[in-house]
Amino acid sequence: MLRTLEIQNFALIESIKLDLHGGFTCLTGETGAGKSILLDAVGLLLGARGSSEWVRTGAERAVVEGLFDLSPAVRDVVSEPLAEAGIECEDNQLVISREIASSGKTVARMNGRMVTQQFLRIIGRYLVHQHGQHDSTLLLKKEEHLSLLDLYDKTNIDPLKQVYQQAYRTHQDTLRELSAAVQDEKKRVQRIDMLQFQLSEIETARLKPGEEARLTALRGKLQYAERLRSVVDDVYVRIYDGEGRIPAILEEIHRLRDDVEGARKYDEGLSHLYEYLDVAEVNLSEAAEFVRRYREDMDFDPERLSRLEDRLATLEKLFRKYGESSEDVLKYAETAKEELSGLLHHEERIEELKRHAKEQDRALTDAALYLRKARETAAVALKDELSVSLKQLLMPNVSIEVEISDIKPGPQGTEDAELMFSANKGEALKPLAKIASGGELSRIMLAIIQVLSDKTFIPTLIFDEIDTGISGRAAQTVANRIAGIAQSHQVLCVTHLPQTASVASEHLLIEKNLTEERTFTSIRSLSEEQRVEEIAKMIGGERVTETTRNQAKDMLS
């Protein structure tokens, strides 16, 4: 339930903090005082679109914050999405805030963590349901009636609907694939020719994974072969042969080692030097052998370099077409082979898809039949409950039916639902949109809310003048019905009816004041004495008399 609501610099509201309770709280005030503004602020917490127009003139930003206590049922549903978003709930409480800058930028947070507007909507639908005058007009839209029916018997219908929708998606996917498979024959032949050419080009190249790196390195070696040969020749001569009067390094090291070996008998300290020279001689011998082999392996053949350049050019051409490496090109070839196989076995694939489509069509038909039976059963039960509820709302001669009709199979099923209505005995049932008055629509909407309130765990219901167009005995009955819903839900109700205000457990008055040339909306909780005065005004207008005051006392008692 909504425990606390704080609003700052929102439209006409400068700063308000409301501590709310369970049960029935009514909100009253003159037209234009700001009752709808308060509900718009709650709507922001539930993911409604924000606008810079909401920011109070002269303020940099508007802020709305609500503290929600989560019931076990709500916690079970929202815990997973909250955990995925990294939001922790201590003491089963959720703080939602929405900030709107004067530039129009909005920021939403849950327990201090930034979230998206879409995420607010996902969580908000489990916290609060708002119902207003415009909700009655939803009854005039036939497309909404099936959703009402499904919500009424959600426990039984939802699993069957999920089975149906999965079967429907599978069947549609197969039909789309089948349609693509029977594409224009000319396109199919052209695609076959293209794939065969591409595969031939790739197969002719006889690619080897990693080949391009090895060839690139070899090309570098061949391009600089003369310089490399010059370097290794010089090294070989200097180490092994010597030049002119300059002895070979290997020969010189050998002579020095022998000299140190002769001197070592006079000083054993020269043993380390001898070992160094001995190791140097061994290493130089191995270096000379390495250079000899390197010189023998060197290939100065220009044709080899030309062939290598051609090979690399072939690889580059393939890479531009099919991938960035040999591995990518080979992977593309495997994919092309699979597609080519499918195109070559075109008729077999079509027959296979047709067989799958038939099997899926049977499964879809079965799922649709089970879903329809559940909806027909729910329609009878919903009609009976609505009839009883409407009679209690002083519509004794009403007749109402939930008519099920066939439609083309779609995502929601193979049937549609429509509320058919007659307010007077002897009159034929007709679509609700054609004959119901405003007051009748409000009572039908209230009856539906009451019936559905027992089917949902949504803890907080907000009514925005849902009792508009109702007066007299019907108004009192409607008021009592809203109070009855408040026995199991937190109910906030904006109303102009004294009958509705008198049965509330808490009464909040919304007022608009002018202070220092600025308009402010304020909200205050009324005491019992103040409620008498306010309800008396609702009965008789601004001038309160003893008569209207006594009427107010009678209504409150």
Side-chain angles (χ1 to χ4, degrees), residues 444-458:
I444 293 171
M445 190 68 212
L446 185 59
I448 289 173
I449 292 172
Q450 182 193 21
V451 168
L452 295 182
S453 68
D454 295 333
K455 312 290 182 181
T456 179
F457 55 80
I458 307 302

Side-chain angles (χ1 to χ4, degrees), residues 143-170:
E143 57 269 24
E144 297 293 332
H145 296 178
L146 185 66
S147 298
L148 291 175
L149 179 62
D150 289 353
L151 183 59
Y152 171 74
D153 196 13
K154 184 180 177 71
T155 302
N156 292 317
I157 290 177
D158 258 14
L160 297 175
K161 189 197 288 190
Q162 289 172 10
V163 171
Y164 169 84
Q165 289 177 333
Q166 179 59 49
Y168 179 79
R169 286 192 294 268
T170 302

Side-chain angles (χ1 to χ4, degrees), residues 34 51 119 181 192 244 270 310 345 350 366 393 477 487 499 501 550:
S51 170
F119 191 74
I192 288 174
L270 294 175
D310 290 342
H345 298 86
I350 289 178
D366 290 342
L393 288 169
T477 304
Q487 297 297 314
Q499 292 92 334
N550 288 332

